[in-house]
Amino acid sequence: MTTAFSIGEALASGFRLTRRRPLRIWMWGVASVAPSLLMGALMLRLFGAMALTDMGSEEPSAAFVGQMVQFQALSGLANILQMLIWVVVTAAIFRTVLFPERADRFAGLKIGMDEVRIAVVGLAMIVGFYAAAIVIALIAFAVGAGLWFVSETAAVVVGLLVALAAGLAAWGVILRACLIMPASVALGDFAFVQGWRLSKGQVLRLLGLSLAIVAVVLAIELALLAIVAVVLFLLIGINVFSLAAMLEQGAPPTVDWGVLIPWALAAFVPLSWLQGFLNTVMMAPYAEACRSLLAQAPRDAARPVALG
């Protein structure tokens, strides 16, 4: 029996989920944006008293250097927190798509075995990707070096072709592996084998789905940027030319960063919902594709009852 999923249905799953659970989308966005808000507060605390002239000085003061070191250390911790939150939010999105009737508290945001499985699978994919990239580079270099003494042009061309072919193969593997995360949540296990089998024969569909997701997200972001630019121009007359003129006049010696706090808090609510919406649009289609393929799996295959 040939199994397949609909790219259109998978792509629309994020929009359907947004319409069905708007509050949950916002809560996912709040969790995702929270580290950025913390980083903004940290920047205000560290740099609020610093003059812009000190920041742009060729020889920064010792105090400024010390604050930069502290900021870099804390930003590294914030990045780790951001990745952990991504794992939690992704697991919540997958569960909502895979088990729509399940009533989860706190918008499904929790730390459990689903989150552990997603983190382990994600870490394995990252390590595998970099290992494959190193191997590809070594193979391309070896082939190019072997042909270098015969023909420099041939060595460069063949080396690039080998790298291109290996790169395409690596991306094929990534596409085959992209259903392992949602399958791990659906099956309640580390579904490395099951997720790999689910994507068999689906590489082109998964490629089309991934490209469609990228196109939709880019279109949304460009539309929002255009709206923001128009609003800024209509309200306070800020555009590219006025910003260029301001930069030519030089930066003021000091800036009252505290004035930005009310604006940042006011923008937090819509930006949180937008971030939750984009996360849902990007991740829900893979869970929907997994759900559809699991529903078509043979009856003797391991799959949760909720998926049919």
Side-chain angles (χ1 to χ4, degrees):
M1 177 181 176
T2 302
T3 59
F5 68 90
S6 169
I7 295 178
E9 286 294 318
L11 190 63
S13 62
F15 295 92
R16 290 197 300 267
L17 181 56
T18 301
R19 184 175 65 252
R20 192 171 74 248
R21 301 287 182 88
L23 181 59
R24 181 167 292 201
I25 299 298
W26 178 71
M27 294 180 68
W28 293 340
V30 168
S32 300
V33 175
S36 299
L37 191 64
L38 291 176
M39 286 300 299
L42 177 63
M43 291 180 66
L44 286 176
R45 186 177 72 84
L46 291 178
F47 304 118
M50 297 294 294
L52 292 181
T53 53
D54 292 337
M55 296 182 187
S57 175
E58 296 181 358
E59 297 182 1
S61 63
F64 179 74
V65 172
Q67 288 180 330
M68 282 300 300
V69 172
Q70 183 182 1
F71 175 74
Q72 291 295 333
L74 293 176
S75 64
L77 294 176
N79 289 333
I80 295 175
L81 177 62
Q82 185 77 62
M83 289 186 288
L84 293 176
I85 290 176
W86 180 88
V87 168
V88 172
V89 171
T90 298
I93 294 173
F94 286 167
R95 279 192 296 268
T96 304
V97 174
L98 294 167
F99 308 103
E101 303 304 324
R102 180 183 294 179
D104 293 328
R105 294 183 299 173
F106 307 112
L109 298 173
K110 64 178 183 177
I111 298 178
M113 284 306 300
D114 285 341
E115 288 71 21
V116 172
R117 295 184 188 103
I118 288 180
V120 171
V121 171
L123 182 61
M125 292 178 65
I126 292 173
V127 172
F129 177 81
Y130 280 104
I134 293 173
V135 172
I136 290 170
L138 291 176
I139 292 175
F141 177 78
V143 172
L147 293 175
W148 185 264
F149 297 101
V150 178
S151 173
E152 296 181 3
T153 303
V156 173
V157 172
V158 173
L160 290 176
L161 290 176
V162 170
L164 177 61
L168 291 175
W171 278 109
V173 172
I174 292 173
L175 290 171
R176 282 291 303 271
C178 69
L179 295 183
I180 295 178
M181 281 189 186
S184 296
V185 175
L187 301 175
D189 196 2
F190 291 99
F192 287 99
V193 176
Q194 299 94 325
W196 183 264
R197 289 176 178 172
L198 275 179
S199 59
K200 182 179 181 181
Q202 308 296 326
V203 172
L204 291 180
R205 286 181 179 272
L206 289 170
L207 175 61
L209 176 61
S210 300
L211 294 176
I213 291 172
V214 172
V216 168
V217 171
L218 285 178
I220 293 173
E221 291 180 344
L222 290 175
L224 289 174
L225 285 175
I227 293 173
V228 170
V230 171
V231 170
L232 289 176
F233 175 73
L234 293 177
L235 292 180
I236 52 180
I238 292 181
N239 54 44
V240 175
F241 303 103
S242 61
L243 286 175
M246 292 168 60
L247 292 176
E248 287 179 358
Q249 295 174 3
T254 59
V255 173
D256 185 7
W257 297 103
V259 176
L260 300 177
I261 295 177
W263 291 95
L265 293 177
F268 180 73
V269 173
L271 289 179
S272 298
W273 190 90
L274 175 62
Q275 183 62 52
F277 171 64
L278 292 177
N279 288 343
T280 304
V281 169
M282 288 188 289
M283 302 309 301
Y286 296 104
E288 175 62 24
C290 177
R291 186 204 64 77
S292 177
L293 292 172
L294 282 173
Q296 301 173 58
R299 287 294 173 180
D300 57 350
R303 55 188 174 134
V305 177
L307 299 179

